[in-house]
């Protein structure tokens, strides 16, 4: 999840490791390369479907998804003519992958429907195909932000495959990785870490120490450690992941660029901004060469560079990069896509810091998803509360803080780290409004949650202690 990966987190901005989670979440390239031949010319030359399929797979490896998809279609035209339904269904699922990576979710779902029909007509007892289809359905539902439905699909895929083989089947790893990404989006970091760890352990069973999937799962584990504030473990996992990819990739491989991108973001979290920018520059060089200036990975890069400039309080440069990211995302994704919502939230934050409250409110509202059960609503409500406080509208601020807290309690539970963060913010807001006795109640709640989840040496615990110390100082 992932990817070239979101989500991706600074808790005032929406610093989105989710855009970087490795589960192919944000790819949507619109490359203009075209296949060098049509079915009639290819068949006349005696080319087999295997030759065409190999070309398609090569285009996929090079992130040239338009060409890959067209060659997969050519392959399946030949396979249908030969009534080779087994290979046809396998290639159809590759068409789903290519469409998804192009950001064409609706067309990918149409292919899933066709795959399910063929499965029912010709392979009704083939649980391997059933599991493959369910896994891809889970990915597409996740792309749409339908997280609960995606969880169901991934779990069904896992159960189906286990019933055909066993729970140690290494082919289960991608679905566990998918579950981890869903829980990541739902801010349930313990479940995310558990599922990513299962994916990693299954991948280790293949005994391939320099394996791209292994690197992918390691990176996702590192991202979760970073979200939990355990930076040493995060650095170990991310560095190991990068080391594997550097060994097995060419110097201009987009997969390597994505590792540079995530490492840059991690270094930003650690306030090592100069080194972070070095990694971003490495990533940009590769991506511009390999995927072009309008690829979503370039958008992810610009988003992260913008967030780095926020750390430097250079809001004009941050806004420049966010607007570049928004233009790319708008070209590749439909309105309401998580990438677009995330960028809008970051733009809103920049305008808030610049004191342009009108535009800040506009972009915060644009960052709201249609599904109000989506956890990102909590972040938006919290930011809107902060904005209304800055606009000296305490009643509206209080309203949105309580909306955010109510949703966090409902979706995450009262003792979740995200809920605790909201307690801290709300307590600080009450303190600013000279309601110190109410403020200290919320801060103490936050202190207990930060101690439980992060420990005494964490920034979160330290921040809450500072707020409490200020209360008694006053």
């Amino acid at each position: 999840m992932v990817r070239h990966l979101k989500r991706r987190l600074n808790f005032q901005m929406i610093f989105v490791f989710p855009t970087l989670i490795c589960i192919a979440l944000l790819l949507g390239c619109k490359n203009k390369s075209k296949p060098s031949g049509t079915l009639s010319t290819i068949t006349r030359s005696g080319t087999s479907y295997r030759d065409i399929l190999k070309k398609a797979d090569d285009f996929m490896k090079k992130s040239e998804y338009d060409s890959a998809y067209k060659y997969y279609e050519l392959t399946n035209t030949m396979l249908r003519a030969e009534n080779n339904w087994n290979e046809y269904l396998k290639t159809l699922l590759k068409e789903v992958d290519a469409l998804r990576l192009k950001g064409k979710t609706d067309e990918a779902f149409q292919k899933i429907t066709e795959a399910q029909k063929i499965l029912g007509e010709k392979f009704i007892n083939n649980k391997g195909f059933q599991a493959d289809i369910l896994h891809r359905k889970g990915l597409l539902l996740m792309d749409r932000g339908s997280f609960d439905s995606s969880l169901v699909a991934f779990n069904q895929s896992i159960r189906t495959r286990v019933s055909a083989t066993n729970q140690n089947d290494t082919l289960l790893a991608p679905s566990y990785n998918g579950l981890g990404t869903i829980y990541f989006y739902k801010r349930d970091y313990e479940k995310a870490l558990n599922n990513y760890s299962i994916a990693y352990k299954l991948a280790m069973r293949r005994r391939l120490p320099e394996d791209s999937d292994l690197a992918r799962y390691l990176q996702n584990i590192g991202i979760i450690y970073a979200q939990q504030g355990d930076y040493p473990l995060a650095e170990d996992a991310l560095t190991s992941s990068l080391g594997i990819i550097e060994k097995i990739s060419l110097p201009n491989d987009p997969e390597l660029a994505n590792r540079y991108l995530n490492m840059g973001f991690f270094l930003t979290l650690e306030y090592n901004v100069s080194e972070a920018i070095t990694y971003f520059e490495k990533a940009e060089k590769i991506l511009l060469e390999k995927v072009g200036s309008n690829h979503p990975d370039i958008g992810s890069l610009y988003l992260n560079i913008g967030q780095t400039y926020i750390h430097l309080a250079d809001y004009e440069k941050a806004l420049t990069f966010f607007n570049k990211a928004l233009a790319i995302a708008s070209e590749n994704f439909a309105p309401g896509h998580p990438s677009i919502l995330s960028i809008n939230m970051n733009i809103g934050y920049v305008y808030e810091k610049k004191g342009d409250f009108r535009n800040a409110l506009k972009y915060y509202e644009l960052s709201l998803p249609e599904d109000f059960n989506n956890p990102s609503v909590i972040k938006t409500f919290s930011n809107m509360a902060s904005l209304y406080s800055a606009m000296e509208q305490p009643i509206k601020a209080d309203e949105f803080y309580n909306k955010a807290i109510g949703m966090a309690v409902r979706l995450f539970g009262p003792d979740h780290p995200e809920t605790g963060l909201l307690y801290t913010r709300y307590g600080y807001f009450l303190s600013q409004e000279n309601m110190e006795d109410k403020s200290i109640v919320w801060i103490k709640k936050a202190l207990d949650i930060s101690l439980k989840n992060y420990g005494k040496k964490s920034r979160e615990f330290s921040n809450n202690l500072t707020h409490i110390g200020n209360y008694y100082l006053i």
Side-chain angles (χ1 to χ4, degrees), residues 19 263 399 404:
T19 60
M263 184 60 74
E399 174 191 343

mmCIF file of all heavy atoms in Angstrom, residues 19 263 399 404:
data_model
loop_
_atom_site.group_PDB
_atom_site.id
_atom_site.type_symbol
_atom_site.label_atom_id
_atom_site.label_comp_id
_atom_site.label_asym_id
_atom_site.label_seq_id
_atom_site.Cartn_x
_atom_site.Cartn_y
_atom_site.Cartn_z
ATOM 1 N N THR A 19 1.223 8.163 1.038
ATOM 2 C CA THR A 19 1.480 8.281 -0.390
ATOM 3 C C THR A 19 2.664 7.445 -0.788
ATOM 4 O O THR A 19 2.911 7.231 -1.960
ATOM 5 C CB THR A 19 1.780 9.730 -0.781
ATOM 6 O OG1 THR A 19 2.924 10.189 -0.076
ATOM 7 C CG2 THR A 19 0.614 10.624 -0.502
ATOM 8 N N MET A 263 13.111 7.671 2.292
ATOM 9 C CA MET A 263 14.207 8.003 3.194
ATOM 10 C C MET A 263 14.284 9.515 3.405
ATOM 11 O O MET A 263 14.529 9.985 4.528
ATOM 12 C CB MET A 263 15.531 7.470 2.633
ATOM 13 C CG MET A 263 16.719 7.681 3.563
ATOM 14 S SD MET A 263 16.529 6.880 5.190
ATOM 15 C CE MET A 263 16.798 5.160 4.728
ATOM 16 N N GLU A 399 -16.562 23.559 18.338
ATOM 17 C CA GLU A 399 -17.454 22.642 17.608
ATOM 18 C C GLU A 399 -16.657 21.620 16.802
ATOM 19 O O GLU A 399 -16.935 20.408 16.850
ATOM 20 C CB GLU A 399 -18.364 23.441 16.680
ATOM 21 C CG GLU A 399 -19.239 22.585 15.771
ATOM 22 C CD GLU A 399 -19.934 23.403 14.696
ATOM 23 O OE1 GLU A 399 -20.008 24.652 14.839
ATOM 24 O OE2 GLU A 399 -20.389 22.798 13.698
ATOM 25 N N ALA A 404 -14.122 16.267 15.765
ATOM 26 C CA ALA A 404 -12.939 15.436 15.513
ATOM 27 C C ALA A 404 -12.765 14.390 16.613
ATOM 28 O O ALA A 404 -12.516 13.202 16.329
ATOM 29 C CB ALA A 404 -11.697 16.311 15.411
#
